[in-house]
């Protein structure tokens, strides 16, 4: 695939803005850059819309949305979204991509949490979503992470103490291993984040509550819960303008069929439901998700997990309420999935911890840390790691600071691994987008009944895998409107020019069975419907037929009265 951008660093807001503008200047017939509003600090919330406008407008086609990230530091996701736009526009003449752009629209939103990401890229702190104090508006007692040694990275800090529960591994002093129950002599340590302690009493060290603890993947108006039930959920759903802009935009985009939201890290595709067990969700949609995940497995090798059942674990106390995934799926009937890019554990050959409730043993945890160090050594990534180095802490006295770069080694891939991370998801999206519904007219004919009186007939079909309503949840929500087929260019002799024909199934609904006698096909619901009008007009008059569906888009054909 041809690309024009460089994937050698993580883009800041201005770079993303400049690139999106360049795309619209270079490809005016294929792109439209819109802002759905401004962030808290006044940055634009860009969406690059991509389609072949010679074959219909942006909002008249089934749409696939790619959201860079809702967690500020997961900047790999922005690069995944940029790569998708890069590939679509630079390969638009390639047959498969040309047909996708003819039949569908892509909404690419690389950076919805632009303030938080800019903060992440320009400060040493980790940050969840947005740099607005929450849940407290002033700093609280406890340890606040800070870059004390001035190397630009907040690492770990170890403090030697007879109460310590860790010790340095005699074979590799970078590695900390657990102190055993009978170990009384030796050097033992406690491990904290590099930082300073508010209101230190000279004895106890515990983490202060996160200063910027709002989680924009817990603040959406679906299964939303307050702070005591759902940490990070916010004071109320849609608390910040970033959430509200997205809520409003999504709720008006009825042509939205699929959304992919990028996160880091883990090497996993996650799909709804997030707030309830999958057994309580629509089972037909769950089967559809499984079909998409089969493609994801083939293209990425990633694990596929249901958010509540497999990722969190059904018995887990850690909920995921108010997620963007659930808002899209349960609130709007849009197929939605999240991707935890950057399969670090797999790269290092670690023991996987999913699906839960699997819990790693102490030996497995230690082994995983050892594998991380070995992998770094093999790949010459030692600049991302600092050996334990003595430091005079103003409160704790002599400590040692060291460990990995949590941002650009653990949370995001070192840039030399960035390209291999971003390209596989675009491969998946290009295949997944083909599963969307697609309307076609066939068997169009006219029959002369008398002078000036004709019967016009056509069959409207859906050749896509998905039904025209996309998710059953969209029907459950009572948001679905019937497909309308209308006739222009002649007066009807009887009946309305516009006919409502309900919905059309996709080929996902067809039972393809193997029996003793071989394969068989059982169509259970209509994928095609016949429509007919009686019209008055002169022979040779051109009559236009148009079908319109909220999610399957619009298609037209012409027939001559004869
Ligand atoms: Zn995330």
């Amino acid at each position: 695939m041809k690309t024009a951008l460089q994937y050698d660093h993580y883009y800041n807001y201005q770079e993303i803005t400049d690139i999106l503008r360049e795309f619209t200047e270079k490809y005016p017939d294929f792109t439209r850059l819109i802002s759905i509003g401004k962030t808290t600090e006044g940055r634009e919330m860009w969406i690059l819309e991509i389609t072949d406008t010679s074959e219909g407008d942006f909002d008249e086609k089934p749409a696939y949305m790619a959201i860079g990230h809702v967690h500020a530091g997961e900047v790999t996701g922005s690069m995944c979204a940029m790569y998708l736009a890069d590939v679509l526009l630079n390969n638009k003449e390639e047959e498969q991509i040309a047909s996708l752009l003819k039949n569908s629209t892509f909404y690419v939103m690389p950076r919805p949490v632009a303030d938080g990401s800019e903060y992440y890229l320009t400060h040493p702190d980790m940050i969840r979503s947005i740099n607005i104090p929450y849940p407290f508006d002033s700093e609280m007692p406890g340890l606040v992470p800070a870059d004390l040694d001035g190397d630009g990275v907040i690492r770990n800090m170890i403090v030697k103490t007879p109460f310590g529960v860790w010790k340095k591994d005699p074979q590799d002093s970078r590695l900390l291993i657990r102190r055993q129950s009978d170990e009384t002599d030796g050097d033992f340590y406690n491990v904290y984040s590099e930082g300073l302690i508010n209101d230190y009493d000279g004895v106890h060290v515990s983490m202060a509550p996160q200063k910027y603890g709002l989680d924009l993947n817990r603040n959406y108006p679906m299964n939303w819960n307050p702070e005591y039930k759902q940490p990070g959920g916010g004071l109320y759903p849609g608390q910040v303008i970033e959430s509200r802009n997205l809520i409003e935009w999504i709720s008006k985009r009825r042509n939205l069929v699929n959304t992919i939201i990028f996160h880091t890290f883990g090497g996993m595709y996650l799909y709804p439901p997030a707030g309830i067990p999958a057994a309580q969700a629509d089972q037909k949609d769950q089967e559809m998700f499984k079909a998409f995940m089969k493609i994801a497995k083939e293209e990425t090798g990633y694990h596929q997990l249901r958010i509540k059942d497999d990722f969190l674990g059904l018995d887990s106390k850690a909920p995921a309420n108010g997620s963007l995934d659930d808002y899209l799926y349960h609130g709007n009937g849009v197929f939605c999935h999240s991707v935890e890019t950057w399969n670090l554990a797999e790269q290092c050959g670690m023991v996987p911890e999913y699906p839960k409730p699997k819990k790693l043993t102490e030996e497995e945890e230690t082994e995983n840390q050892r594998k991380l160090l070995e992998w770094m050594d093999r790949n010459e990534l030692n600049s991302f790691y600092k050996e334990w180095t003595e430091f005079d802490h103003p409160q704790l006295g002599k400590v040692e600071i060291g460990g990995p770069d949590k941002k650009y080694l653990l949370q995001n891939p070192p840039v030399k691994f960035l390209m291999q991370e971003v390209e596989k998801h675009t491969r998946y999206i290009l295949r997944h987008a083909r599963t969307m519904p697609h309307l076609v007219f066939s068997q169009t004919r006219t029959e002369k009944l008398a002078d000036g009186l004709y019967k016009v007939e056509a069959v409207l079909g859906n050749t896509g895998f998905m039904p025209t309503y996309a998710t059953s949840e969209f029907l459950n929500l009572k948001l679905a409107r019937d497909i309308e087929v209308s006739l222009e260019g002649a007066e009807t002799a009887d009946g309305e020019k516009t006919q409502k024909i309900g919905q059309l199934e996709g080929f996902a609904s067809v039972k393809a069975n193997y029996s003793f006698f071989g394969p068989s096909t059982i169509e259970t619901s209509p994928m095609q419907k016949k429509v007919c009008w009686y019209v008055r007009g002169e022979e040779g008059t051109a009559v236009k037929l148009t079908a319109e569906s909220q999610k399957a888009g619009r298609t037209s054909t012409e027939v001559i009265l004869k």
Side-chain angles (χ1 to χ4, degrees):
M1 289 284 176
K2 284 180 281 182
T3 52
L5 306 180
Q6 297 301 314
Y7 297 86
D8 56 359
H9 69 286
Y10 292 99
Y11 296 158
N12 65 27
Y13 169 77
Q14 194 55 52
E15 287 173 294
I16 288 174
T17 302
D18 292 345
I19 292 166
L20 296 180
R21 286 200 174 118
E22 276 164 31
F23 279 154
T24 56
E25 279 160 26
K26 196 167 173 195
Y27 305 107
D29 300 334
F30 284 81
T31 56
R32 179 168 70 185
L33 182 61
I34 61 158
S35 167
I36 64 164
K38 286 187 192 299
T39 62
T40 306
E41 292 179 353
R43 293 185 178 88
E44 302 291 351
M45 293 178 68
W46 298 122
I47 292 180
L48 184 68
E49 303 181 320
I50 306 175
T51 197
D52 179 353
T53 58
S54 71
E55 299 279 350
D57 202 6
F58 298 94
D59 300 334
E60 291 178 351
K61 301 177 186 180
Y64 198 112
M65 186 175 192
I67 297 181
H69 51 107
V70 286
H71 292 139
E74 298 170 0
V75 286
T76 307
S78 296
M79 303 305 284
C80 291
M82 294 301 278
Y83 186 82
L84 172 65
D86 194 1
V87 164
L88 287 172
L89 293 170
N90 284 293
N91 300 275
K92 61 186 170 49
E93 277 90 29
E94 194 267 332
E95 196 184 334
Q96 302 248 321
I97 292 183
S99 115
L100 264 182
L101 294 177
K102 182 179 157 198
N103 298 325
S104 45
T105 295
F106 290 84
Y107 297 129
V108 180
M109 188 177 207
R111 183 144 294 173
V113 285
D115 298 356
S117 294
E118 209 65 6
Y119 185 91
Y120 179 89
L121 292 167
T122 55
H123 292 71
D125 317 41
M126 304 288 275
I127 174 174
R128 189 58 171 159
S129 286
I130 188 166
N131 47 324
I132 291 176
Y134 174 89
F136 305 105
D137 51 16
S138 59
E139 286 214 341
M140 300 298 285
L143 190 148
V144 178
D147 173 27
L148 300 182
D149 59 2
D151 68 348
V153 180
I154 299 176
R155 304 180 190 270
N156 288 330
M157 183 167 78
I158 55 173
V159 185
K160 198 192 287 184
T161 162
F163 304 99
V165 293
W166 296 94
K167 62 176 187 178
K168 289 181 182 171
D169 179 20
Q171 286 144 40
D172 186 343
S173 65
R174 296 173 297 176
L175 182 69
L176 297 174
I177 53 177
R178 293 267 180 94
R179 176 186 181 178
Q180 297 302 302
S181 57
D182 59 343
E183 287 186 280
T184 51
D185 302 317
D187 292 336
F188 305 114
Y189 299 87
N190 278 333
V191 189
Y192 308 106
S193 167
E194 186 181 348
L196 295 169
I197 307 152
N198 285 335
D199 302 343
Y200 183 46
D201 66 0
V203 182
H204 300 105
V205 182
S206 57
M207 289 301 290
Q210 257 186 295
K211 184 177 170 189
Y212 302 134
L214 191 63
D215 186 338
L216 292 201
N217 205 26
R218 302 290 183 269
N219 189 230
Y220 283 88
M222 182 54 58
N223 298 319
W224 180 88
N225 279 158
E227 184 67 24
Y228 77 97
K229 280 190 179 170
Q230 174 59 68
L235 299 173
Y236 51 89
Q239 184 188 331
V240 289
I241 191 71
E242 283 86 343
S243 303
R244 290 200 298 281
N245 286 338
L246 205 48
I247 288 167
E248 194 177 338
W249 190 82
I250 288 167
S251 68
K252 287 178 183 163
R253 285 297 167 291
R254 288 294 171 237
N255 63 327
L256 196 54
V257 171
N258 282 309
T259 303
I260 189 164
I261 308 167
F262 293 104
H263 291 258
T264 62
F265 61 99
M268 293 173 271
Y269 271 70
L270 308 175
Y271 60 99
I276 55 170
Q280 294 171 24
D282 188 286
Q283 294 307 300
K284 191 173 163 191
D285 288 349
Q286 288 292 304
E287 289 303 312
M288 299 290 276
F289 275 119
K290 281 183 202 162
F292 308 150
M293 290 304 108
K294 184 168 181 278
I295 304 175
K297 181 78 181 170
E298 287 167 7
E299 294 301 336
T300 68
Y302 276 23
H303 302 286
Q304 296 97 42
L305 309 172
R306 296 166 296 180
I307 300 173
K308 177 77 176 171
D309 293 49
D310 310 319
F311 180 60
L312 299 169
L314 277 176
D315 298 329
S316 168
K317 299 274 185 293
N321 296 312
S323 68
L324 179 54
D325 306 66
D326 271 359
Y327 175 64
L328 278 154
Y329 175 63
H330 293 301
N332 291 274
V334 173
F335 278 120
C336 170
H337 43 314
S338 279
V339 189
E340 297 284 356
T341 62
W342 186 218
N343 55 344
L344 176 66
E346 197 182 306
Q347 294 266 349
C348 304
M350 291 181 185
V351 181
E353 58 171 318
Y354 293 100
K356 286 180 176 175
K358 182 173 178 179
K359 182 149 175 46
L360 299 188
T361 63
E362 183 185 324
E363 289 73 23
E364 285 173 331
E365 298 270 19
T366 304
E367 191 53 29
N368 282 353
Q369 291 305 309
R370 198 183 301 281
K371 287 198 163 142
L372 172 66
L373 293 169
E374 287 167 3
W375 172 80
M376 279 170 33
D377 292 341
R378 272 201 311 278
N379 289 283
E380 293 167 356
L381 294 165
N382 295 325
S383 63
F384 291 90
Y385 198 95
K386 182 173 177 163
E387 304 269 347
W388 297 119
T389 308
E390 282 194 7
F391 182 82
D392 283 323
H393 192 280
Q395 296 165 306
L396 300 171
K398 202 168 84 171
V399 302
E400 292 171 58
I401 292 174
D405 181 335
K406 293 172 192 169
K407 285 186 172 186
Y408 304 111
L409 180 84
L410 303 182
Q411 190 173 22
N412 294 286
V415 284
K416 76 182 212 185
F417 289 91
L418 184 54
M419 191 64 173
Q420 59 130 45
E421 226 15 74
V422 301
E423 60 91 22
K424 55 190 160 201
H425 304 296
T426 284
R427 278 207 312 267
Y428 163 70
I429 292 168
L430 295 181
R431 287 184 62 192
H432 185 212
R434 293 178 180 284
T435 64
M436 297 199 286
H438 180 57
L439 292 178
V440 284
F441 278 113
S442 64
Q443 300 177 46
T444 312
R445 56 186 282 272
T446 63
E447 184 186 342
K448 186 171 181 178
L449 302 175
D451 276 346
L453 183 67
Y454 295 84
K455 184 180 181 186
V456 176
E457 234 177 39
V459 173
L460 182 72
N462 168 24
T463 59
F465 176 73
M466 288 183 199
T468 51
Y469 48 89
T471 65
S472 298
E473 197 73 338
F474 192 56
L475 297 181
N476 300 339
L477 284 165
K478 311 284 183 210
L479 290 172
R481 288 204 316 260
D482 290 345
I483 299 169
E484 293 186 352
V485 190
S486 54
L487 173 145
E488 287 171 82
E491 291 306 311
T492 49
D494 179 33
E496 298 291 327
K497 279 186 171 179
T498 299
Q499 300 185 27
K500 293 184 177 181
I501 64 158
Q503 303 286 345
L504 297 172
E505 290 298 320
F507 69 86
S509 70
V510 180
K511 291 200 173 86
N513 295 332
Y514 287 104
S515 74
F516 180 74
F517 297 105
S520 70
T521 303
I522 304 164
E523 198 172 325
T524 52
S525 337
M527 296 158 69
Q528 305 183 77
K529 283 183 185 172
K530 194 183 266 190
V531 268
C532 141
W533 295 263
Y534 293 94
V535 304
R536 290 187 200 288
E538 290 188 10
E539 186 159 352
T541 305
V543 170
K544 188 180 178 190
L545 308 181
T546 302
E548 206 171 343
S549 149
Q550 286 162 296
K551 291 206 181 289
R554 180 200 286 247
T555 189
S556 296
T557 189
E558 210 174 68
V559 57
I560 307 293
L561 298 182
K562 63 180 184 202

